[in-house]
């Protein structure tokens, strides 16, 4: 599962990191509370090279008559992505990368209280989420995307049973289709010891919360 994340890297730094041509209408950064249906930073391969563009986080299959015509598809399970009618063509032909600095997950106490955690790379590098995309609509088509998820690895099982599929730099080209076929072999939980996490302020439970304090360690004792 991936339902909320943060992005703090400047747009030009993102473009440089992924060797991508940046669009002029990229989302504003930093954003410490990126929510579904908003615009996110996406790296996409093209015939002339990579581009860094905005996309709506919330995949819209071509048969949706409106953005709210069906379930909100922010994630796509790696185990079934090649079979689901909504995702199978995109999985073969339209893979991309969503850029993040870290993401949030929640645990629950015995009384049902939701406790948020911020998860990030131990080396503090940006996170590359494997994702798929789809243009929706005939006039002024909207580019949309979903983050691919896998079963959680041992590092994160105590927080959530699912995690985003995180790509290492040496896998970016294969996922984007620049090295031919074989992206399916990337769809597995990431290596242990890559991610770190800490509790954060319950303010992030609200999708209206903002500010750098959302990702700071939180002690409720």
């Amino acid at each position: 599962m991936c339902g909320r994340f943060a992005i703090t890297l400047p747009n030009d730094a993102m473009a440089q990191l992924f060797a991508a041509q940046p669009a002029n209408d990229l989302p504003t950064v930093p954003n410490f509370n990126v929510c579904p249906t908003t615009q996110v930073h996406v790296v996409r391969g093209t015939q002339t090279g990579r581009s860094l563009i905005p996309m709506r986080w919330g995949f819209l299959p071509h048969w949706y008559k409106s953005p709210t015509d069906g379930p909100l598809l922010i994630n796509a399970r790696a185990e079934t992505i090649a079979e689901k009618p909504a995702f199978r063509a995109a999985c073969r032909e339209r893979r991309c990368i969503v850029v993040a600095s870290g993401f949030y997950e929640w645990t629950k106490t015995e009384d049902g209280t939701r406790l948020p955690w911020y998860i990030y790379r131990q080396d503090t590098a940006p996170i590359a989420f494997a994702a798929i995309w789809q243009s929706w609509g005939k006039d002024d088509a909207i580019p949309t995307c979903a983050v691919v998820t896998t079963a959680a690895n041992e590092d994160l099982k105590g927080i959530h049973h699912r995690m985003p599929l995180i790509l290492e730099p040496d896998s970016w080209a294969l996922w984007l289709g620049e090295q031919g076929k074989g992206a399916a072999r990337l769809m597995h939980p990431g290596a242990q010891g890559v991610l770190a996490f800490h509790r954060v302020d319950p303010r992030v439970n609200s999708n209206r919360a903002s500010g750098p304090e959302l990702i700071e360690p939180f002690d409720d004792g």
Side-chain angles (χ1 to χ4, degrees):
M1 180 65 179
C2 178
R4 211 92 67 75
F5 65 89
I7 178 65
T8 62
L9 196 66
N11 289 332
D12 57 349
M14 267 185 270
Q16 183 175 5
L17 176 65
F18 289 92
Q21 181 65 37
N24 294 325
D25 56 346
L26 290 168
T28 301
V29 287
N31 185 346
F32 296 92
N33 195 2
V34 180
C35 301
T37 74
T38 61
Q39 298 289 302
V40 297
H41 296 79
V42 173
V43 178
R44 187 179 70 178
T46 70
Q47 293 183 344
T48 58
R50 295 176 185 172
S51 59
L52 178 66
I53 62 174
M55 285 193 186
R56 176 191 189 267
W57 184 20
F59 189 96
L60 296 176
H62 66 83
W63 60 80
Y64 275 25
K65 295 179 181 178
S66 74
T68 57
D69 196 37
L72 179 59
L73 304 176
I74 62 171
N75 294 150
R77 295 173 66 95
E79 298 88 342
T80 58
I81 193 173
E83 306 164 6
K84 294 289 186 181
F87 301 138
R88 60 191 178 200
C91 178
R92 292 192 305 267
E93 305 165 6
R94 295 185 299 278
R95 297 186 300 274
C96 60
I97 292 171
V98 171
V99 190
S101 298
F103 61 99
Y104 301 98
E105 282 297 355
W106 283 261
T107 54
K108 281 188 178 181
T109 63
E110 291 184 359
D111 64 2
T113 302
R114 298 176 74 232
L115 304 178
W117 299 76
Y118 183 62
I119 304 164
Y120 51 95
R121 291 184 63 105
Q122 288 193 24
D123 61 9
T124 70
I127 297 177
F129 293 148
I132 55 175
W133 67 275
Q134 165 83 44
S135 286
W136 177 83
K138 295 181 179 179
D139 300 322
D140 296 322
I142 301 172
T144 71
C145 64
V147 172
V148 179
T149 65
T150 70
N153 62 19
E154 291 298 324
D155 291 340
L156 295 187
K157 279 184 177 179
I159 295 179
H160 200 276
H161 66 286
R162 304 290 297 177
M163 66 180 288
L165 173 53
I166 295 173
L167 301 171
E168 295 299 324
D170 60 1
S171 298
W172 295 348
L174 181 59
W175 182 257
L176 293 174
E178 297 166 351
Q179 293 181 342
K181 298 180 179 180
R185 67 175 180 263
L186 300 175
M187 293 195 217
H188 56 77
Q192 297 181 45
V194 173
L195 300 175
F197 50 84
H198 56 248
R199 279 279 314 280
V200 291
D201 196 317
R203 285 184 54 237
V204 79
N205 292 356
S206 169
N207 59 14
R208 293 186 294 273
S210 62
E213 64 276 9
L214 296 182
I215 66 172
E216 296 298 323
F218 177 75
D219 182 3
D220 59 0

